[in-house]
Amino acid sequence: KSLGDFFYTQKDTERAEKAFMKSISCDDASASSFISAASFFTGVSQHDKAIHVLKKAGEKFPDNTVIMEKTATIYESLGVSYRAMEEFRKILIIDPGNKKARKGLGINK
């Protein structure tokens, strides 16, 4: 678990946010660091920050379909379906058989 996760479990969201932001600012930050940070922001209803984190992650890891799925899921929850569909389409370019993306686009085959 990360330091951000620890602070979050202790209900210290201010320190958790700082820890997550620091973890993704490192040059060697992993895709999972970005996903964890975005999950934190989603969990505290800061969807704009979650999207911002995932956009940065997408720039660093442009072929990571997990990042795209997380982004699409947040857009769906916000009712921004056209953005979610854009993310699902990007996933299908990389992984045409991706079930979650196909379902998100209403493709059953």
Side-chain angles (χ1 to χ4, degrees):
K1 288 273 182 180
S2 72
L3 187 58
D5 289 323
F6 170 76
F7 286 133
Y8 185 52
T9 61
Q10 300 298 307
K11 309 284 189 241
D12 189 344
T13 55
E14 186 177 320
R15 289 173 82 184
E17 179 176 346
K18 287 178 184 176
F20 280 117
M21 293 306 288
K22 185 170 179 114
S23 74
I24 63 170
S25 67
C26 298
D27 289 336
D28 63 344
S30 66
S32 63
S33 295
F34 285 92
I35 293 166
S36 293
S39 294
F40 162 74
F41 286 119
T42 302
V44 295
S45 298
Q46 293 186 29
H47 303 290
D48 56 334
K49 287 185 180 180
I51 294 292
H52 175 75
V53 166
L54 291 168
K55 284 184 179 181
K56 286 180 66 172
E59 292 169 6
K60 188 168 181 169
F61 305 99
D63 294 335
N64 188 306
T65 58
V66 176
I67 291 169
M68 294 173 203
E69 285 178 16
K70 181 79 174 163
T71 306
T73 301
I74 294 171
Y75 279 132
E76 279 183 324
S77 72
L78 296 174
V80 187
S81 57
Y82 75 97
R83 290 279 190 187
M85 292 180 78
E86 287 175 1
E87 294 298 318
F88 287 135
R89 285 187 197 104
K90 289 194 305 189
I91 293 168
L92 290 182
I93 290 169
I94 297 166
D95 180 9
N98 186 291
K99 291 179 181 180
K100 194 170 195 175
R102 295 175 72 75
K103 181 179 179 184
L105 292 170
I107 302 170
N108 296 323
K109 295 180 182 180

